[in-house]
Each structure stands twice: as C-alpha cells, then as structure tokens.
C-alpha cells in the first residue's frame, strides 16, 4: 500500500461522517469549518461546485484541527487547482484514468467513486481499498453494499448520496463501511443563514454514530 492509500484510510477513520459542503460565500468558510470541527467532524469535503470553492478550501485549511479535501474532482486540472489551494485529499463521484493519474502524480490521497463490482475491482487492482460508493441510495444502498461485501471483503466504502440521519447508522453498521459522506450536516439553507450552532449540533450528533 502506498503512502497516499494509507493516508486516505487514516482520514476515513477519523470520524464516522464526512460533511459534503457546497459553499458559495467565502466569508462562511472559517465559521463553518470551526463549527464542524467543534462538533467532532474534522474531515471536510468542499465540493468544487462554486466559484469560491478553491478559496474556501484555503480558508478552511487554516482552521485548527480541520482536514480539508476537495470534492467533485472531475478533471486533472481540478486536481492541480485543489492541491494548489491546499486540499489534503480529493474525492470524486467517479474514477476516470486521467483523474487517477493526476492524483497519483500529485501524491494526493484520493477517494475515487465506484458504484459496481467491476468499478470497485478495477480500483482495488490499482491499490485503492477505500472507495466512495456513489450515488449510495441510487446504486442500491445498503443492499448493494452487503452484496459487494461477500465477494469483495477487502474493499471498504464511504457511501455518499442519499445518506441521512435516518439511514446513516445502518450504513455505518456494515463491516465494509468505514465512514459515510453527507450534506445534511451543513445544508445550504443553514449555511446561508449562518446557523453555526445548529450545524455544530448536527455535527456532534453525527460524530456519535459509529462505524
Ligand atoms: C454530493 O456530492 O452532493 C453528495 O452526494 C451529497 O449527497 P447528499 O446531499 O445526498 O448527502
């Protein structure tokens, strides 16, 4: 296992939930990261879906205790930009070869997306043993993950996409789930309204879930 693969496992094991963040106001970056870290969820995925996302990564990276990654990596240029912004890991909904090569070249710990046995097996053959299972609910959810766990026990997943307070513990109870991603901790309405206390409370509740 290479250092980057070991590193993504360490990150994935820090907390049961990785908040998936869509931040469109740079001023929200620091208080949002502080609230999430204070609530016990220090591993953060900032999606590259807003104009200020790279600046948000840089600002959040300065918050003590935060491990800030870039999500929605789609192209090699996204990887270059994410690394320059200070991202310490990357996440993608998929795993095209040029993206894998870019992450490997940049030595960026990477959580690639997979939704089928073949995708998971291809990535595992390249050394990836933790994958983002995406879109979790759309791809069959807990039933599919249980199915994959039989023949592929050496591959762990971070289900993301449709994970909620209602089903998160059930996902985390599966032996092949190491953590889960979700946007419910800091949804856009709470971030826009700057409800940092509510976000911290949601993080604290999620941090008590157990993988
Ligand atoms: C995303 O990339 O937006 C994630 O899949 C989040 O999904 P969720 O909003 O269902 O948590």
């Amino acid at each position: 296992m290479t250092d980057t693969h070991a590193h993504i496992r360490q990150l994935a094991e820090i907390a049961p939930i990785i908040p998936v963040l869509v931040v469109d106001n740079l001023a929200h970056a620091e208080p949002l990261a502080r609230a999430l870290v204070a609530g016990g969820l220090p591993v953060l995925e900032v999606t590259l879906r807003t104009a200020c996302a790279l600046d948000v990564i840089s600002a959040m990276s300065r918050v003590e205790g935060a491990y800030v990654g870039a999500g929605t990596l789609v192209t090699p240029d996204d990887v270059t930009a994410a690394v320059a912004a200070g991202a310490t890991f990357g996440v993608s909904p998929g795993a095209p070869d040029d993206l894998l090569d870019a992450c490997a070249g940049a030595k960026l710990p990477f959580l690639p997306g997979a939704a089928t046995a073949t995708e998971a097996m291809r990535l595992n053959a390249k050394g990836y043993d933790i994958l983002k299972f995406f879109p979790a609910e759309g791809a069959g959810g807990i039933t599919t993950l249980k199915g994959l766990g039989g023949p592929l026990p050496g591959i762990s997943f971070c289900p993301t996409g449709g994970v909620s307070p209602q089903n998160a513990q059930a996902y985390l109870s599966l032996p092949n789930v190491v953590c889960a991603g979700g946007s419910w901790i800091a949804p856009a309405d709470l971030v826009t309204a700057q409800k940092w206390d509510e976000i911290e409370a949601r993080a604290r509740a999620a941090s008590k879930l157990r993988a």
Side-chain angles (χ1 to χ4, degrees), residues 20 45 47 49 72 132 134 160-163 181-184:
V20 177
E45 176 187 337
T47 59
R49 292 185 216 160
T72 324
K132 171 172 172 163
F134 178 83
T160 306
V163 180
S183 64
W184 85 89

Side-chain angles (χ1 to χ4, degrees), residues 47-126:
T47 59
L48 298 191
R49 292 185 216 160
T50 62
C52 64
L54 292 167
D55 292 328
V56 169
I57 288 171
S58 299
M60 287 188 165
S61 298
R62 292 191 286 272
V63 171
E64 193 175 344
Y67 303 88
V68 185
T72 324
L73 295 181
V74 175
T75 68
D77 284 349
D78 291 338
V79 174
T80 305
V83 170
T88 56
F89 67 98
V91 185
S92 177
D97 284 341
D98 60 350
L99 198 59
L100 295 174
D101 290 345
C103 288
K107 296 196 177 359
L108 182 69
F110 184 47
L111 193 60
T116 68
T118 296
E119 291 166 5
M121 290 161 70
R122 283 199 178 126
L123 285 163
N124 194 233
K126 292 175 188 277

Side-chain angles (χ1 to χ4, degrees), residues 34 42 79 120 210:
R34 283 194 195 291
V79 174
R210 274 292 140 240

